[in-house]
Amino acid sequence: MTFEEIRALDEQYVMHAYGRFPVALDHGKGATVWDVDGREYIDFTAGIGVNALGYADEGWQRAVSAQAAKLAHISNLFYAEPYVKVAQKLCTRTGMSNVMFANSGAEANEAMIKLARKWSFDKYGEGRGTILTLHNSFHGRTLATLTATGQDKFHNYFFPFPEGFRYADANDLDSVEAVAGHDVCAVMLEMVQGEGGVLPLEEKFVRGVADLCAKRDWLLLVDEVQTGVGRTGALFAFQKYGVRPDAVSFAKGIAGGLPFGGVMAGEKCRDVFTPGTHGSTFGGNPVSAAAACYVLDRLDDPFLAQVEEKGAYLRRKVEELSLPCLGAARGLGLMIGVEVKGEQTNSQLAARLVEAGLLVLTAGPDLRFLPPLVITKEEMDKGLAIMKAALS
Ligand SMILES: *Cc1c(COP(=O)(O)O)cnc(C)c1O
């Protein structure tokens, strides 16, 4: 199909919940993708942080095809090998205790919220179900995770929203204390706020929150849906901050392009869910789990060290372009935010870059880069050259 044919069907038959770029993508390899007309693009988006190993990774294809040919789905009423292997790999590499699987970030966070509330209910009874989150956070699009999201623009249209969330300012411990109360059971944070603008939390703040949680017997919940699975140069970003969360959610990159996610629990919360208290038909799906096993095996320490190096390279090189519309670059590993200056908005700059052959994202008022973790130096240099030509 041509781009125009695809666009016409989208117009007629698909709900318009997304503002799309005028490009129909067809196939990819590594961090390079081609549209239906055969035009090449360098990808600094990885499908919003999903395609950790880029496009068409051969080992990933083998892992997925082999599992699809064997057993594509089985309900959670039976045991199967792929999901137990993923759980083992995640726990041994993070020090967490066990895992509950879901299919997306929002669902992983729903599970984490339910876990926290039931933990508190089991220990203290009713009336202690409030979760503190941060302004500028993003936790998902379901009703509860939209409410957990600390941005007013998301608290519209869909009333009534569920109760039980209050918001504090990032990097301001006093503001967390100010919204505390006897009804609180947990604090939920992203180590680097992603959709909110690629805003890394300060280490001092994160440790302060962890101390406060210990003092008040609140759970520390970390949303690693975007920061997890190698994105920041550690397997999970909390490992860089030296804290021990009580629960950690993950999704996006975990299966390298297939829907998958879940929540890891620490020792305190390992037995909170009992048969019948939570569930998901697709959770722990064998094909997604086989993909996740492969992704986790690839993300060994040398691989993660490279993510760190590539991120530092890309941030430095973007700044060295000295483009008048771009300011400082920030972030951890290959989770990068670049300040937008001057007359043009981030969306206008993104549209120009896509037109010129470089796929990028926006976050807050700025540009955001989440390239596949396997991006090569050559691909980064190509992307930077496109940026220079398009934005000079
Ligand atoms: C993307 C994202 C989510 C939501 O994930 P979905 O898979 O879209 O439901 C939740 N939290 C964070 C931090 C995210 O970046």
Side-chain angles (χ1 to χ4, degrees), residues 186-208:
V187 182
M188 177 162 155
L189 317 160
E190 299 156 88
M191 297 288 100
V192 183
Q193 296 187 318
E195 303 301 312
V198 193
L199 307 167
L201 294 185
E202 289 165 12
E203 218 168 294
K204 195 171 122 234
F205 173 72
V206 173
R207 285 173 196 271

Side-chain angles (χ1 to χ4, degrees), residues 10 15-22:
D10 175 285
M15 294 188 197
H16 297 145
Y18 302 102
R20 297 182 202 272
F21 293 105

Side-chain angles (χ1 to χ4, degrees), residues 95-356:
M96 300 300 286
S97 300
N98 59 10
V99 181
M100 173 87 202
F101 289 107
N103 315 290
S104 67
E107 272 182 276
N109 285 335
E110 285 274 341
M112 188 156 71
I113 292 163
K114 289 174 76 174
L115 186 82
R117 287 185 176 166
K118 186 168 182 300
W119 170 82
S120 187
F121 183 91
D122 291 347
K123 186 163 178 185
Y124 294 99
E126 276 181 54
R128 199 175 176 274
T130 297
I131 294 175
L132 306 182
T133 68
L134 298 181
H135 289 127
N136 266 322
S137 59
F138 182 82
H139 298 297
R141 298 281 192 164
T142 61
L143 285 166
T145 58
L146 266 185
T147 313
T149 294
Q151 302 185 54
D152 286 339
K153 69 173 181 195
F154 288 105
H155 303 155
N156 274 307
Y157 321 121
F158 309 113
F159 304 101
F161 287 94
E163 297 172 14
F165 296 93
R166 286 202 297 275
Y167 316 99
D169 293 331
N171 299 322
D172 180 353
L173 208 55
D174 290 344
S175 134
V176 179
E177 303 246 29
V179 293
H182 295 299
D183 59 336
V184 173
C185 65
V187 182
M188 177 162 155
L189 317 160
E190 299 156 88
M191 297 288 100
V192 183
Q193 296 187 318
E195 303 301 312
V198 193
L199 307 167
L201 294 185
E202 289 165 12
E203 218 168 294
K204 195 171 122 234
F205 173 72
V206 173
R207 285 173 196 271
V209 170
D211 289 345
L212 198 57
C213 286
K215 205 168 83 191
R216 303 244 187 166
D217 205 19
W218 297 343
L219 298 179
L220 177 61
L221 313 177
V222 182
D223 177 349
E224 294 251 17
V225 170
Q226 191 159 150
T227 51
V229 197
R231 178 54 56 191
T232 67
L235 191 59
F236 287 90
F238 79 81
Q239 296 171 304
K240 283 197 158 173
Y241 281 81
V243 289
R244 282 188 71 84
D246 296 298
V248 178
S249 61
F250 57 92
K252 289 198 165 93
I254 183 74
L258 291 178
F260 205 43
V263 58
M264 297 184 262
E267 213 43 38
K268 245 190 212 175
C269 297
R270 63 167 295 136
D271 296 321
V272 170
F273 288 146
T274 50
T277 48
H278 188 51
S280 160
T281 298
F282 281 111
N285 172 270
V287 177
S288 295
C293 277
Y294 180 75
V295 169
L296 289 170
D297 285 346
R298 283 282 298 277
L299 268 54
D300 57 11
D301 289 341
F303 184 104
L304 294 172
Q306 280 183 11
V307 170
E308 194 86 64
E309 282 165 29
K310 290 177 200 179
Y313 179 80
L314 193 51
R315 288 195 297 274
R316 176 162 57 82
K317 287 290 176 181
V318 168
E319 290 185 349
E320 280 175 16
L321 293 177
S322 300
L323 294 167
C325 57
L326 298 183
R330 61 180 182 276
L332 295 179
L334 282 169
M335 182 167 181
I336 297 173
V338 183
E339 187 199 349
V340 168
K341 301 189 304 190
E343 247 115 84
Q344 302 224 41
T345 64
N346 58 353
S347 308
Q348 288 168 322
L349 295 183
R352 273 168 64 189
L353 289 169
V354 171
E355 201 186 334

